[in-house]
Amino acid sequence: MPFTLPPHLRRVALVALITLPLAACDDAAEQAEQQPPAQVRVETLQLQPLAISTELSGRLLAPRTAEVRARVAGVVLKRVYREGSDVRQGDVLFLIDPAPFKADLDSARATLAKAQATLYQARLQEQRYRELVDDKAVSRQEYDNARAAFLQADAAVAEAKAALERARLNLGYATVTAPIDGRIGRALVTEGALVGQNETTPLATIQQLNPIHADVSQSTRELNALRRAIRAGELQQAGDGQLQATLVQDDGSAYPLPGKLLFSDISVDPSTNQITLRSEFPNPDLDLLPGSYVRVRLAQAVQPKGLSVPQRAILRDSAGVPKVLVVDAQQRVAERQVQLGSAQGDRWVVSEGLAAGERVVVEGLQHVKAGDPVQVDEQPGASVARHGQ
């Protein structure tokens, strides 16, 4: 027979079942009220001059590149330089067999001597006929022939001298020297190779690496927007002279030696609608090599009164819209949608959505949401003006 509670006990049990959840809810609410607000760190925004920089992509290239080529035909006897070394202008790089050119030089000297002897004979005959023609001892035609022979002999001497100079040059070209200072690469030919046969054979390449150039591209849309902002007085031209440039290395760190912008190209690439900008960087240790992909940060303008926030303070919703959390005067969190400008080091320039004096949450964002009360810890040094990097 099943056990049955008496009626008065059933009433007590029912009351207990009803009041127990209510008591549990009251305890939870009481504990929530007793839990202290989350602690966050904030930064108070201030208007300050900000360098408006643009980070552009491009490649490094050598300011001067010289292809060393064989200027005469012959067989390479020796490579004199060490591959990958630094060479000076005039240093000997290759030796081409000089024997044929020495023979040509000797032949040119003999031809010149023969032409000079012929000239000597023609000059004497022309002088005699000049005296005789006045006395009617020789005809005018004979004198004219002697004069023509003299002029031809003089021209032959000039031609022989030119041939001698050419032979001397060819002998000099057999010793291949460096046309510029720089670092030379691997040899493109070996000893015994026949070079310069019907073409100027490339032997090696020399590149100047210090300083080194960085060519980057910027869209005309960005450049025109920047110019319009400067003309409207929203921005100021950065610097009175050449713009400063910072090279960003592969690991994201800045190259320790600052560079400068040399020039902006005067024509736009019709396929990309971009313009080329060339910067120059010191490269004393030759850490920067031509052909490397790089990013260059150019400080193109200055915003006299701008606002910026640390990058870690930026939140994004599912649509990618940037937002920040701000703390109001009642120590409660509010969400604010912002419009970001360019990145300046570890900070974002804020163009819309925030005002000077507002406190932006920079640490503890994951523990709070809009409407939560918080305990505020002012970030040390937050009120110090910071310039874009």
Side-chain angles (χ1 to χ4, degrees):
M1 182 174 181
F3 174 76
T4 304
L5 287 174
H8 67 283
L9 292 179
R10 286 201 300 270
R11 288 194 295 270
V12 173
L14 180 60
V15 172
L17 290 175
I18 295 174
T19 58
L20 184 60
L22 295 176
C25 292
D26 292 341
D27 293 341
E30 184 178 354
Q31 291 177 1
E33 291 178 359
Q34 294 176 353
Q35 185 176 0
Q39 186 174 6
V40 295
R41 178 166 289 185
V42 300
E43 177 180 322
T44 303
L45 301 183
Q46 287 191 355
L47 294 176
Q48 53 198 326
L50 295 177
I52 305 302
S53 62
T54 307
E55 195 167 292
L56 306 171
S57 301
R59 294 196 178 273
L60 296 175
L61 71 160
R64 298 178 68 189
T65 300
E67 285 190 347
V68 181
R69 292 179 175 267
R71 303 175 70 175
V72 292
V75 176
V76 176
L77 293 182
K78 185 179 180 181
R79 171 175 59 82
V80 180
Y81 75 95
R82 180 173 56 86
E83 293 174 311
S85 63
D86 293 324
V87 296
R88 305 286 295 178
Q89 183 178 2
D91 287 352
V92 177
L93 305 179
F94 293 91
L95 296 178
I96 298 175
D97 185 6
F101 309 111
K102 289 181 179 178
D104 291 342
L105 182 61
D106 293 339
S107 176
R109 285 179 178 145
T111 301
L112 176 59
K114 181 179 179 181
Q116 288 173 335
T118 303
L119 175 62
Y120 175 74
Q121 182 181 15
R123 180 184 296 110
L124 292 179
Q125 187 171 9
E126 190 270 340
Q127 290 174 352
R128 294 192 192 98
Y129 277 29
R130 187 190 310 150
E131 297 173 356
L132 294 175
V133 72
D134 294 335
D135 298 334
K136 307 297 184 182
V138 296
S139 66
R140 187 69 186 181
Q141 182 63 46
E142 290 175 318
Y143 170 73
D144 290 341
N145 293 339
R147 177 68 179 172
F150 166 71
L151 295 177
Q152 289 178 357
D154 188 54
V157 168
E159 183 180 8
K161 287 181 178 179
L164 177 63
E165 182 62 24
R166 184 167 53 250
R168 187 178 289 111
L169 287 174
N170 288 339
L171 179 60
Y173 292 153
T175 302
V176 182
T177 59
I180 62 173
D181 299 344
R183 175 157 292 190
I184 191 168
R186 63 183 180 90
L188 303 179
V189 296
T190 60
E191 290 82 357
L194 178 62
V195 297
Q197 197 72 19
N198 300 325
E199 62 179 3
T200 55
T201 307
L203 305 179
T205 301
I206 301 175
Q207 298 183 94
Q208 285 189 352
L209 303 179
N210 184 30
I212 197 167
H213 288 168
D215 278 7
V216 296
S217 299
Q218 184 176 23
S219 69
T220 54
R221 179 182 59 83
E222 295 177 355
L223 194 59
N224 291 334
L226 182 66
R227 290 171 176 170
R228 285 194 297 268
I230 292 175
R231 294 190 185 104
E234 300 172 2
L235 301 177
Q236 296 176 356
Q237 185 73 42
D240 297 329
Q242 292 176 314
L243 298 183
Q244 294 297 312
T246 302
L247 190 145
V248 182
Q249 302 181 107
D250 295 338
D251 58 358
S253 62
Y255 182 66
L257 301 177
K260 59 185 177 182
L261 179 67
L262 294 183
F263 68 87
S264 300
D265 207 347
I266 59 174
S267 59
V268 178
D269 187 340
S271 61
T272 62
N273 203 33
Q274 292 184 329
I275 193 169
T276 299
L277 296 89
R278 173 166 293 177
S279 303
E280 183 181 82
F281 294 91
N283 191 24
D285 298 327
L286 305 185
D287 295 328
L288 306 177
L289 299 178
S292 301
Y293 174 83
V294 293
R295 289 174 294 156
V296 176
R297 188 180 301 133
L298 295 173
Q300 295 181 299
V302 174
Q303 188 173 2
K305 296 180 180 180
L307 294 175
S308 67
V309 296
Q311 291 187 358
R312 65 181 185 275
I314 299 298
L315 301 174
R316 294 185 184 272
D317 59 17
S318 58
V321 177
K323 299 179 179 181
V324 296
L325 298 180
V326 297
V327 179
D328 58 20
Q330 289 73 38
Q331 305 292 84
R332 288 190 176 275
V333 175
E335 190 177 77
R336 193 73 57 78
Q337 183 174 326
V338 295
Q339 183 172 339
L340 302 179
S342 60
Q344 309 296 326
D346 61 348
R347 302 178 69 85
W348 282 106
V349 175
V350 179
S351 54
E352 291 182 11
L354 292 173
E358 291 191 293
R359 297 181 295 174
V360 175
V361 179
V362 296
E363 290 184 15
L365 294 86
Q366 66 275 17
H367 303 305
V368 295
K369 62 183 183 301
D372 288 352
V374 292
Q375 291 182 359
V376 174
D377 178 17
E378 187 80 16
Q379 179 176 342
S383 61
V384 177
R386 303 173 64 169
H387 295 266
Q389 299 176 4

